[in-house]
Every structure is written in structure tokens, then in C-alpha cells.
Amino acid sequence: MGSGSQIHYKQNRLKQLRAFCHAARTGSVSAAAEKIFLSQPTVSLQIQALEREFGTVLFERRGPKIKLTPEGDLLFQMAEPLVEGMDKLHETFATQCGRVDQGVLNIAAGESTILYILPDPVREFVDQYPGIELKMHNVTGRDGLAMLRADEVDLAVGSMLEVPDDITYRPFVTYRPTLITPADHPLAGRETVTLEDIAPYGLILPPRHLSTWRMVDLVFKQHNLGYRVTLEAGGWEVIKKYVELGLGISIVTDVCLTGEEKLSTIPLDHYFPKRSYGIVQRRGKFLSPQTKCFIKTLDSAFADRVVEPQPQTVGEAEWEDAFLG
């Protein structure tokens, strides 16, 4: 091969690695082709060229799905930051020059995170960087993880009870489990309550398949106590409203309490674990300048809050509830 063709080949290297990285992320040549606006045969040829050059097989091919070989996984870990770095070169250069005034930032979060945690940081971020287009995706935890893995969002903000190997989680704030009762309830106004005090009263809880219900069930069983659920309702705002109306009492995370509700609140952290909220990202993800600026804004907004570790007890499928509250 002459020197001219070698130069041409090296110019194609980024295209080959980009095709390879998208195929590795999606597990599909056709999905990768769709993402980078190329034909399926072109993406296949680019991956084959890399395999020839490195003298190895990068993917195991099983029908329409492809899976990285150990060698493919190694190349993916090396290539991914390079590809993302090149793709974001313009934005990174602008940031280094002190200009973060453009671009797009995609954030995944659950309803309670969007309602209670993000308003102030988002307001501050939008004021400081008006040229950055901010896209908030209101999703459950499972969908949030899928979006992170598909690079459809730059980061997620939420609560994680267990962290999968390909995800990083850095908590920045911790909230307490709290009993809420109507203002005129027999338990209202107490500084502390026991599970025995709570057991006779009907509970309003989030849907049964989410981890709040399972956590309540587990704690009551550990203390050999029964409990009653009189109402199942989705979302802390709905639960607070129904407790205010006297339809039952509930156990919530105090992230949802503003202090303006017509409720009595009693801490329950001697029975139930505290819950942290934090920044969730795909491990190895290149941080865009916009992402770094948003993380800095979050850290600044919660700089005076205590962050406490929380037990790793529940699988990633149950992050769905964490996103809800």
C-alpha cells in the first residue's frame, strides 16, 4: 500500500470507529446505520475493515443481533472516548475558550425529581446559559437507563438503590423517610411514632409493583406486624392530597414536602432507609461541556446538603420507583 492510500485509510479511521462504537452500543448493524445516516452494508464494511486491520473478530454475530467479543470490548473502551471527543470537538473548544453558549443538553429524570429537585438548578442553568437548548425527558428509571445506554440523553438525575456495572452514580443530596398524616389525625403532632402506632391506620401507598410498597412490607414483616393499605395511588402529589383529605396516612420521602401542606410530618429514618438522589451516567461516557456545566450547577445548588450513603438493596429494574420518588 502506497503512502497516499495509507493517508486516505487513516482519514477513514474515525468513520470506521464511529460505526463500530454505534454498533457496539446498539447491538445491531442496522440500528447503528440508522443512527449515523449510512447504509447497512457501509457500516458492515467499515467494521470488517477494522477487523482486518487489527487481525481479530470484534463481534459475535447471532442472527440480527451482534455482541462484542473480548477483543471488541477492549477496542470499544479505547475508541469510545476518542469518537465522542472528536464529535464534540467544536463544543469542547468553545468551552475552553470560555464560550458555553450553544448546543443541546438532554436530561432524563422522573416526575418527583423534576418537580422537587431540579426546578432551582434548572432555573439557574437557563439563566446562566440561555443559548443551550435544555431537553428534559420525564421517564421511569428503566426507560432512563435505556436512554443512557443508547446515548439518547447526556445524564440522568434520580435515586438508585443498586448501580449496574455499566452505570456510574454520584449522590448529591439525601432525604428522609417521613410519615404524613392529616393535621387532625390521632398521631399528628408527635415527635416520634412506632410501627405499632402506625399499624392500625390505613396506608396510602404507590402502586404495589414499585419498591416503596415492598420496602414498607419488608419493614413491617421484620417487626412481625401487619398493616393495611386502603388506597393505592401514583405520584407523591396525589398521595399528599388524599392524606390531606383524611383518606389515610402515608410513608413518603420528604423530598416531596414543601412545608406548605396541611399535613403533620414525623421522621421515620429509624425504621426506613434514607434515600439519596444523584447524577446517573453511562460509565466511560464523554462529558460534553454542557453536561459539565449542568453538573457544576447541581453541585453548587446542593453544596450545603449532607449526602449519606444508602444501602444497595434493590435491582435496577426497580429504579422505576426511585424515579417516582
Side-chain angles (χ1 to χ4, degrees):
M1 189 184 285
S3 61
S5 56
Q6 281 181 342
I7 291 167
H8 174 71
Y9 188 77
K10 283 176 181 173
Q11 285 171 342
N12 285 327
R13 176 71 57 76
L14 178 60
K15 292 177 184 175
Q16 292 165 356
L17 290 175
R18 187 182 287 119
F20 164 71
C21 285
H22 278 283
R25 272 190 223 121
T26 58
S28 161
V29 171
S30 57
E34 208 172 292
K35 283 258 184 192
I36 53 180
F37 307 105
L38 292 174
S39 69
Q40 195 171 324
T42 302
V43 171
S44 293
L45 287 170
Q46 287 174 336
I47 293 169
Q48 285 164 21
L50 280 176
E51 289 183 319
R52 275 199 310 276
E53 183 189 354
F54 289 107
T56 189
V57 177
L58 299 173
F59 290 106
E60 294 174 23
R61 291 159 177 85
R62 294 176 185 167
K65 279 286 174 190
I66 56 174
K67 187 183 171 190
L68 285 169
T69 61
E71 294 81 6
D73 189 49
L74 178 62
L75 181 63
F76 180 56
Q77 288 175 38
M78 295 168 65
E80 190 178 33
L82 299 174
V83 171
E84 291 207 42
M86 287 298 291
D87 287 347
K88 305 263 172 101
L89 183 62
H90 182 270
E91 291 170 12
T92 307
F93 179 73
T95 308
Q96 297 301 326
C97 294
R99 303 192 311 267
V100 187
D101 53 3
Q102 56 188 351
V104 180
L105 179 63
N106 283 277
I107 299 169
E111 185 173 292
S112 60
T113 305
I114 291 171
L115 277 176
Y116 312 119
I117 291 176
L118 291 180
D120 288 341
V122 164
R123 188 187 301 115
E124 188 182 327
F125 184 80
V126 169
D127 287 347
Q128 195 169 351
Y129 307 105
I132 296 175
E133 185 184 350
L134 190 61
K135 294 185 179 179
M136 303 286 294
H137 302 265
N138 184 351
V139 292
T140 64
R142 202 173 303 178
D143 290 343
L145 285 177
M147 293 181 85
L148 280 174
R149 287 170 172 146
D151 272 339
E152 291 168 0
V153 293
D154 297 286
L155 77 159
V157 181
S159 181
M160 294 206 76
L161 300 171
E162 186 175 272
V163 185
D165 290 342
D166 61 332
I167 297 295
T168 64
Y169 174 62
R170 180 170 66 77
F172 55 77
V173 65
T174 305
Y175 291 95
R176 304 170 81 181
T178 303
L179 179 75
I180 57 172
T181 74
D184 58 356
H185 193 272
L187 297 178
R190 292 202 195 181
E191 284 187 22
T192 60
V193 291
T194 64
L195 289 181
E196 287 85 352
D197 295 331
I198 297 169
Y201 299 101
L203 289 170
I204 302 173
L205 291 181
R208 187 184 291 267
H209 69 280
L210 301 178
S211 68
T212 294
W213 189 311
R214 279 197 289 277
M215 191 69 77
V216 168
D217 184 67
L218 175 67
V219 170
F220 272 89
K221 278 181 178 166
Q222 283 172 341
H223 290 79
N224 296 314
L225 287 170
Y227 63 95
R228 288 190 302 121
V229 176
T230 54
L231 189 63
E232 189 177 310
W236 297 133
E237 288 302 307
V238 175
I239 288 173
K240 287 193 299 182
K241 179 56 68 179
Y242 282 7
V243 172
E244 279 183 342
L245 293 171
L247 298 176
I249 62 177
S250 188
I251 298 163
V252 302
T253 305
D254 71 352
V255 63
C256 71
L257 301 174
T258 64
E260 295 175 16
E261 297 90 356
K262 297 173 185 145
L263 296 168
S264 179
T265 63
I266 307 160
L268 286 178
D269 40 332
H270 50 297
Y271 288 119
F272 296 91
K274 293 181 181 178
R275 175 165 285 187
S276 68
Y277 285 76
I279 296 155
V280 188
Q281 291 172 294
R282 180 172 57 74
R283 192 177 291 282
K285 167 83 174 168
F286 176 86
L287 295 187
S288 71
Q290 292 80 7
T291 306
K292 286 179 181 175
C293 290
F294 189 77
I295 290 172
K296 199 169 163 187
T297 304
L298 273 178
D299 285 338
S300 169
F302 292 95
D304 59 342
R305 295 296 296 257
V306 177
V307 182
E308 298 179 21
Q310 71 186 51
Q312 307 291 296
T313 53
V314 188
E316 76 169 74
E318 291 158 26
W319 192 34
E320 186 167 8
D321 184 35
F323 256 165
L324 289 175

